[in-house]
Structures are given as structure tokens and as C-alpha cells.
Amino acid sequence: MAMVCLSRLTQRTITDGAALFHNLDHPGPLAAQFDILEYSDGEVCVAVPLAIDGEIGCVALSLPVTQRHRLIQAAKILSSRSAGLLLSLLLAASPPDLEKGRQDAPANRRPGTAAAGHQQAARART
């Protein structure tokens, strides 16, 4: 962090590294993080962490400052629905091998034979 220059973007931007880490760590690692006019004078933001099995990410939402009264409700919704989102992301990153165990899966086919499902469909049409 010592090599990074924290630039003031608004009157509320945190430019001290120690203060920044204190503000990020204080509510706890799984708590929602709020940006109240720190990045832009025109918007407020919330980020909810997504963590499982050593992997961490977040889902975030920005609102115009005129809608700041909705930020707490938005944080609660993001937090309550983050488990399903995390599961979707995990499955997309590492899709399960759905072919395992199927009788007509490529690994179970003998060279030169068609899949059982295709054979049955062909017989049904004739």
C-alpha cells in the first residue's frame, strides 16, 4: 500500500492507507462496505463480499446520490441474495461434470457405436 498514492476524489475520499484499512476492516470481513460520496459527489455505493472456500469477490451497487435513502435496503437485498449469486458464479467457474455416470456419456461409449439415446430415437422413428 505504501507504493500506491491515494488521490482525493471528493471531500470524503480517504487518502491515508492506515485509515482506509481501518475503515475496511472495522465492520468485519463479511460485512457490507459503503462508499458515501468518497469516490464521486454524485453517487453512493455498497459492496457485499462473496466468499467461499478461500475465494473472495463482491457484488456492488451504485445509486445516484438522490436515491441514497435506498442504500441500506439495497445492501440488505444484496446480502440476502448473495448466496445464490455466489453459487451461480462458482458453478460457472467450475461447472460440474454432468456427463459422468450417464450411460451414453462419451467416456462410456465404445468406439464406433452411437449413443444409446440416439439409437433408441432412431428405432422409434422407423
Side-chain angles (χ1 to χ4, degrees), residues 56-117:
I56 190 156
C58 75
V59 59
L61 173 76
S62 296
L63 293 171
V65 71
T66 57
Q67 297 291 314
R68 66 184 173 272
H69 61 278
R70 298 177 55 209
L71 197 59
I72 297 293
Q73 179 186 8
K76 289 177 182 177
I77 292 169
L78 285 176
S79 183
S80 69
R81 297 183 182 171
S82 64
L85 178 60
L86 180 59
L87 181 58
S88 297
L89 291 172
L90 287 171
L91 289 174
S94 304
D97 187 0
L98 299 178
E99 293 290 312
K100 270 187 187 169
R102 275 191 28 204
Q103 290 181 356
D104 63 340
N108 295 327
R109 292 185 196 148
R110 285 175 272 142
T113 63

Side-chain angles (χ1 to χ4, degrees), residues 4-99:
V4 175
C5 178
L6 300 174
S7 301
R8 183 170 300 283
L9 301 173
T10 72
Q11 290 287 331
R12 296 181 56 111
T13 301
I14 300 170
T15 58
D16 176 76
L20 175 62
F21 279 108
H22 174 74
N23 283 338
L24 292 173
D25 291 340
H26 180 68
L30 298 178
Q33 297 288 328
F34 294 89
D35 170 350
I36 309 298
L37 307 175
E38 294 169 28
Y39 181 75
S40 166
D41 286 323
E43 61 187 23
V44 293
C45 307
V46 62
V48 176
L50 303 174
I52 191 166
D53 200 27
E55 298 291 324
I56 190 156
C58 75
V59 59
L61 173 76
S62 296
L63 293 171
V65 71
T66 57
Q67 297 291 314
R68 66 184 173 272
H69 61 278
R70 298 177 55 209
L71 197 59
I72 297 293
Q73 179 186 8
K76 289 177 182 177
I77 292 169
L78 285 176
S79 183
S80 69
R81 297 183 182 171
S82 64
L85 178 60
L86 180 59
L87 181 58
S88 297
L89 291 172
L90 287 171
L91 289 174
S94 304
D97 187 0
L98 299 178
E99 293 290 312

